[in-house]
Amino acid sequence: MKDTDSGDGTGTGTGIGAKAGTDKGTGADTVRAGRRTVRVHWPEKVLFPDDGLTKADVVGYYGRVAAAMVPQLRGRPLMLERLPEGRGGPQFMQKDTPAHYPDWIRRAEVTKEGGTVTHTVCDDKATLLFLADQACLTFHRWLSRAGRPDHPDRLVFDLDPPGPDFEAVREGARQLCGLLDELGLPAVLMTTGSKGLHVIVPLDGKSDFDTVRGFAQDAAEVLAARHPDRLTTAVRKKSRGDRLYLDVQRNAYAQTAVAPWSLRAKPGAPVAAPISREQLDDPQLAAQSWTLKDVAGVLEQVDARPWSEGPARGRSLRTARRRLDALR
């Protein structure tokens, strides 16, 4: 599964890279991104007060991971998690694209109940850096593309642990990947930067959301039936006990999942990091193993290309559905 892009320049260091200059008297820096110059307002503003991390650190980080991250965002409507004053200040989820965003940023108008909403789409590094300047800390992407919003090309299982012990997540991911192997569906893995882990199945985009969600629910129930003491599909928390929750609720129209390489608005500025299947065997692996405080560690993970062994193209659910029905 490709997760790289032809680069258009990256920064060096934890702050803003590839500076184009400083606007004197405006409290702004400028940074080059391909053919565009992006203004970074008040780069010294602290966005992670407990860690002393600034907007310059955030913009610099996204500049350095842009070649790996932009292909994971391209063409998809986004929900943007913005914290204009940083952690501890107002926090909101932005769906509609504000009128003041520059014309060169792509929009995608999609239907919603009673009307439409115009989402921002990030197709290039300049857009990524502009959004980082808008204090967008986390990027949540649709599982479908703007051109075919009703047909997802990603299926996501969200492994939600009952507590801080990540061993249950690692074990659940191994069991889920084993089931997906039986069904002929290659999957890739990503720590969420929050509590759990995402198991992501690339699809061919021919099935609608109802079909994909129904498949995901049935697969989760088959797996939970195999391990009823450790896994559950119970939506209500009080029904889960100390079992790992196999959450498939994101597989619906207009739902989103955190994008690969996104920062999370949490102490330490953790990163949602793609991992290889082999890394599941590392007992030190955790949901927040990679952070903005260790950019070198994140870049090492980027360079490892953990998803390079994933499928080059998405799979159909047709054969997998027959195999799953036989298991049920």
Side-chain angles (χ1 to χ4, degrees), residues 80-100:
L80 307 174
E81 187 173 349
R82 294 181 57 202
L83 290 84
E85 301 303 323
R87 290 194 69 253
Q91 178 175 358
F92 62 95
M93 298 293 199
Q94 177 181 301
K95 294 183 179 180
D96 257 317
T97 304
H100 72 268

Side-chain angles (χ1 to χ4, degrees), residues 277-296:
R277 198 152 164 179
E278 290 74 20
Q279 286 177 293
L280 280 179
D281 297 327
D282 181 358
Q284 301 302 315
L285 180 69
Q288 299 185 7
S289 287
W290 289 271
T291 74
L292 180 57
K293 293 193 295 183
D294 180 18
V295 175

Side-chain angles (χ1 to χ4, degrees), residues 15-235:
I16 298 174
K19 277 189 180 181
T22 301
D23 290 346
K24 295 182 179 180
T26 66
D29 285 338
T30 55
V31 59
R32 290 292 299 176
R35 294 171 297 176
R36 301 193 184 279
T37 299
V38 178
R39 180 174 293 182
V40 182
H41 301 83
W42 309 113
E44 73 282 1
K45 176 178 283 188
V46 176
L47 297 182
F48 290 87
D50 294 338
D51 306 285
L53 297 169
T54 66
K55 183 188 285 187
D57 293 318
V58 170
V59 174
Y61 166 77
Y62 278 123
R64 299 190 74 181
V65 301
M69 185 173 182
V70 169
Q72 301 296 333
L73 301 175
R74 185 175 289 126
R76 300 180 186 277
L78 299 176
M79 182 169 65
L80 307 174
E81 187 173 349
R82 294 181 57 202
L83 290 84
E85 301 303 323
R87 290 194 69 253
Q91 178 175 358
F92 62 95
M93 298 293 199
Q94 177 181 301
K95 294 183 179 180
D96 257 317
T97 304
H100 72 268
Y101 278 21
D103 292 342
W104 49 265
I105 288 181
R106 182 180 170 189
R107 280 86 161 159
E109 185 176 5
V110 296
T111 60
K112 66 174 183 178
E113 187 175 354
T116 63
V117 58
T118 302
H119 287 266
T120 302
V121 179
C122 181
D123 282 344
D124 52 40
K125 180 178 178 180
T127 301
L128 182 64
L129 299 188
F130 175 86
L131 295 173
D133 176 59
Q134 298 295 301
C136 173
L137 298 186
T138 309
F139 296 76
H140 302 267
R141 63 177 184 171
W142 278 41
L143 303 185
S144 57
R145 298 179 185 271
R148 301 192 74 204
D150 298 308
H151 291 75
D153 61 359
R154 296 290 183 272
L155 183 159
V156 175
F157 295 91
D158 183 4
L159 277 56
D160 186 4
D165 184 9
F166 202 71
E167 172 57 32
V169 178
R170 295 195 300 121
E171 181 61 25
R174 282 192 287 262
Q175 293 162 346
L176 177 55
C177 286
L179 173 61
L180 294 172
D181 286 345
E182 292 179 53
L183 301 177
L185 292 175
V188 293
L189 307 168
M190 182 182 75
T191 62
T192 63
S194 181
K195 295 193 306 178
L197 186 146
H198 285 178
V199 177
I200 304 165
V201 179
L203 302 176
D204 63 3
K206 294 183 179 180
S207 299
D208 61 20
F209 271 106
D210 287 343
T211 300
V212 171
R213 186 173 182 177
F215 177 90
Q217 183 66 44
D218 289 346
E221 289 176 355
V222 165
L223 190 62
R226 290 180 176 181
H227 309 279
D229 57 332
R230 287 176 287 176
L231 304 176
T232 182
T233 59
V235 176

